[in-house]
């Protein structure tokens, strides 16, 4: 996979007459639309499309531009006039650092993408196959028929293990992956709270929840330092992402600094685990809710494997399994909101966007737009069959985004999600148990509040 480069020549010609985007209705004095956004962010983002292609919303005194059509979200992602910035990224900086690939911009970001890209290229993925297979089958062994599974912790666990074991290889990784898992789960919970209830100084008080958050964050950073130090001490240089980061040079040909190496590891592990974990949770929910698709996956896997355990080499033949995953990601995208900032006076469609403006859009809203999708709220994996998918508007389904900030891990993610889904559906059906709450919890990602499922043996 190559990073789609942004060619200045692809910049849109200035439209003859640029307009100011309309103001979305429903704002109130002082708070603007903030209260609606806070109260029900998904519904708020989805209804903005009724007000225009680009609309202004007021968050307190601040004007933010919301983009509501697939075509314009594509134009935004491909334009060189916007950088990664805005409220989402500012809230993540405390966790991801300022020198990692997810938050850097400009030449630093381009150099960092060049360093990490080889580890995620399509031809690099087969090398991760054995670990992905092992982790997928280990889940089916670990889960017992009839025993309730806490989908949140189990999904997190496997996501962290796969990312850590594949990308930061090493004998020591198994025990570390467990610790990473515990630290990340607590950190993400705390980040979510800090994002939705921004009580600033209150989070510095020595309360048990704050102490737990601070200690998990410290442990996460300590773990990353330990992983780096141990790799260096081993003198080994396996062909993996960590070696690529340790050997990376800056634009002057000098080794990159310690802080940058550290931030890079954090900036790859954290988005890598939270997004995959949320997607696995939604897949389990979908398998429980639509047993007919669980059975179709089982039939497909058996037709491909002839009954042997599913393996990495089968992944590209498991088309229905992939369609179930894509449909789960359409309705419940882990990354439900993205923000950018205009770095120059620019435009989107026919609208004027002043330099410094924050732009927001929601893949969740785009992927549920009835103008793009017939029966838009229905779970219908067959909508991804080649003969049906051709009618889809461009950019109506980009769960990994596009342009120079596109997720580097799309192939890596699809391979592991396919193996996990195939292995689980072959061995079990799933049902939610009393006490399970699969309502959407909006945080840094979308995930079920508290999904509890029971595997039922076939
Ligand atoms: C279902 C799984 C995943 C989804 C839906 C997803 C989605 C995304 C999206 C939408 C972006 C772009 C953000 C933007 O445009 O502002 C992104 C960026 C990123 N993702 Fe993923 N991701 C997934 C898995 C992973 C994994 C497994 C890893 C690493 C192991 C990863 C690493 C990254 C990194 C490093 C970036 C920042 C790229 C940059 O800014 O150049 N992601 N991801």
């Amino acid at each position: 996979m190559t990073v789609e480069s942004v060619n200045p020549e692809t910049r849109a010609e200035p439209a003859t007459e640029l307009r100011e985007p309309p103001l979305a209705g429903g704002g109130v004095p002082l708070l603007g639309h903030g209260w609606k956004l806070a109260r029900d962010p998904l519904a708020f983002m989805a209804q903005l499309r009724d007000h225009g292609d680009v609309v202004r919303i007021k968050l307190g005194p601040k004007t933010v531009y919301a983009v509501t059509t697939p075509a314009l979200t594509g134009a935004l992602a491909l334009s060189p006039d916007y950088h990664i910035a805005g409220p989402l990224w500012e809230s993540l900086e405390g966790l991801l650092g300022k020198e990692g690939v997810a938050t850097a911009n400009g030449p630093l970001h381009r150099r960092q993408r060049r360093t990490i890209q080889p580890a995620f290229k399509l031809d690099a993925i087969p090398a991760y196959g054995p670990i992905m297979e092992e982790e997928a089958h280990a889940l089916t062994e670990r889960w017992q028929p009839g025993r309730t599974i806490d989908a949140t912790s189990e999904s997190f666990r496997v996501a962290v293990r796969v990312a850590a074991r594949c990308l930061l290889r090493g004998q020591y990784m198994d025990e570390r992956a467990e610790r990473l898992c515990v630290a990340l789960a607590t950190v993400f919970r705390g980040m979510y709270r800090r994002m939705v209830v921004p009580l600033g100084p209150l989070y510095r008080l020595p309360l048990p929840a704050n102490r737990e958050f601070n200690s998990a964050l410290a442990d996460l950073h300590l773990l990353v330092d330990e992983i780096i130090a141990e790799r260096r001490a081993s003198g080994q240089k396996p062909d993996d992402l960590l070696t690529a980061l340790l050997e990376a040079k800056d634009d002057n040909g000098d080794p990159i600094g310690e802080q940058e190496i550290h931030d890079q590891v954090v900036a790859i592990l954290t988005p890598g685990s939270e997004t995959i974990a949320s997607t696995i949770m939604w897949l389990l929910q979908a398998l429980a809710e639509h047993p007919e698709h669980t059975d179709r996956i089982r039939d497909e896997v058996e037709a491909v494997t002839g009954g042997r355990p599913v393996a990495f080499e089968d992944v590209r033949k498991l088309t229905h399994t992939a369609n179930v995953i894509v449909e789960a990601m359409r309705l419940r995208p882990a990354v439900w909101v993205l923000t950018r900032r205009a770095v120059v006076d620019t435009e989107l469609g026919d609208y004027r966007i002043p330099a410094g403006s924050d732009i927001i859009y929601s893949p969740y809203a785009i992927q549920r737009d009835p103008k793009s999708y017939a029966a838009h709220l229905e779970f219908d994996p067959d909508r991804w069959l080649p003969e049906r998918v051709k009618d889809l508007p461009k950019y109506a389904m980009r769960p990994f985004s596009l342009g120079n900030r596109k997720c580097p891990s799309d192939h890596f993610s699809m391979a592991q999600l396919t193996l996990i889904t195939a292995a689980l559906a072959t061995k079990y059906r799933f049902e939610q148990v009393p006490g399970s709450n699969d309502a959407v919890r909006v945080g840094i990602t979308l995930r079920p509040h508290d999904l509890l499922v029971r595997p039922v043996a076939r």
Side-chain angles (χ1 to χ4, degrees), residues 347-403:
E347 72 234 37
L348 265 180
D350 296 338
Y351 299 105
R352 187 180 317 115
I353 309 288
S357 308
D358 281 338
I359 325 286
I360 187 169
Y361 77 93
S362 168
Y364 175 92
I366 297 285
Q367 291 164 199
R368 287 173 169 239
D369 189 339
K371 289 199 279 301
S372 301
Y373 294 95
H376 61 293
L377 300 181
E378 234 167 68
F379 183 82
D380 175 13
D382 290 332
R383 70 172 81 241
W384 301 104
L385 290 170
E387 62 274 19
R388 287 179 60 192
V389 80
K390 62 181 178 358
D391 300 327
L392 198 64
K394 205 170 177 186
Y395 310 131
M397 180 64 194
R398 296 291 176 139
F400 297 101
S401 191
L402 71 157

Side-chain angles (χ1 to χ4, degrees), residues 73-386:
T73 56
L76 174 70
L78 292 171
S79 166
D81 296 346
Y82 303 92
H83 272 185
I84 283 278
L88 173 69
W89 298 105
E90 277 147 23
S91 80
L92 285 176
E93 248 172 27
L95 168 63
L96 300 179
K98 289 188 182 174
E99 292 188 37
V101 65
T103 43
N105 277 304
L108 175 61
H109 174 254
R110 276 195 293 281
R111 169 165 69 66
Q112 294 183 333
R113 279 295 289 224
R114 277 199 301 275
T115 305
I116 67 166
Q117 204 69 31
F120 292 102
K121 275 204 330 246
L122 192 52
D123 58 10
I125 309 301
Y128 307 129
I131 295 173
M132 290 180 178
E133 281 167 23
E134 204 179 295
E135 289 292 337
H137 292 301
L139 265 194
T140 67
E141 295 301 317
R142 184 177 155 88
W143 296 1
Q144 297 296 314
R147 292 254 298 269
T148 298
I149 300 298
D150 174 0
T152 311
S153 60
E154 286 294 299
S155 305
F156 233 104
R157 185 177 167 277
V158 69
V160 173
R161 289 180 63 87
V162 171
R165 290 188 62 204
C166 290
L167 302 170
L168 312 174
R169 277 158 203 259
Q171 294 307 316
Y172 55 87
M173 242 8 276
D174 283 1
E175 176 264 333
R176 288 270 155 74
E178 297 292 342
R179 271 176 69 201
L180 269 172
C181 189
V182 174
L184 276 173
T186 309
V187 166
F188 273 114
R189 238 190 347 263
M191 296 285 303
Y192 169 64
R193 236 176 260 137
R194 284 158 178 73
M195 212 169 86
V196 286
V197 193
L199 293 176
L202 278 191
Y203 292 116
R204 289 198 284 276
L205 295 177
L207 302 171
N210 293 343
R211 272 204 293 267
E212 191 193 23
F213 174 80
N214 290 337
S215 118
L217 191 59
D219 197 37
L220 174 65
H221 289 297
L222 180 69
L223 267 162
V224 169
D225 284 338
E226 282 175 23
I227 290 167
I228 295 170
E230 227 163 272
R231 171 63 68 83
R232 283 212 171 100
S234 77
Q236 287 174 358
K237 295 184 179 176
D239 183 16
D240 71 357
L241 183 62
L242 187 52
T243 302
L245 292 173
L246 292 173
E247 308 251 291
K249 302 275 191 292
D250 66 17
D251 290 335
N252 302 320
D254 297 322
I256 63 172
E258 287 304 305
Q259 187 64 47
E260 186 179 332
I261 295 174
H262 178 99
D263 286 358
Q264 280 279 64
V265 174
V266 178
I268 289 159
L269 273 183
T270 41
S273 45
E274 173 81 7
T275 49
I276 292 278
S278 308
T279 308
I280 295 174
M281 289 175 226
W282 289 122
L283 276 164
L284 285 169
Q285 190 256 5
L287 294 180
E289 199 165 299
H290 306 282
E292 69 284 9
H293 287 293
T294 315
D295 291 349
R296 273 179 69 185
I297 293 173
R298 189 266 322 261
D299 294 346
E300 176 176 75
V301 174
E302 288 190 346
V304 167
T305 62
R308 64 162 164 72
V310 63
F312 180 80
E313 74 212 32
D314 305 319
V315 165
R316 65 189 170 79
K317 297 188 203 127
L318 299 176
T319 50
H320 184 67
T321 311
N323 290 348
V324 168
I325 296 168
V326 173
E327 183 65 349
M329 291 203 291
R330 179 182 76 83
L331 284 169
R332 313 265 197 235
V335 179
W336 68 277
V337 67
L338 287 169
T339 60
R340 292 285 188 273
R341 185 166 292 152
V343 285
V344 289
D345 285 336
T346 181
E347 72 234 37
L348 265 180
D350 296 338
Y351 299 105
R352 187 180 317 115
I353 309 288
S357 308
D358 281 338
I359 325 286
I360 187 169
Y361 77 93
S362 168
Y364 175 92
I366 297 285
Q367 291 164 199
R368 287 173 169 239
D369 189 339
K371 289 199 279 301
S372 301
Y373 294 95
H376 61 293
L377 300 181
E378 234 167 68
F379 183 82
D380 175 13
D382 290 332
R383 70 172 81 241
W384 301 104
L385 290 170

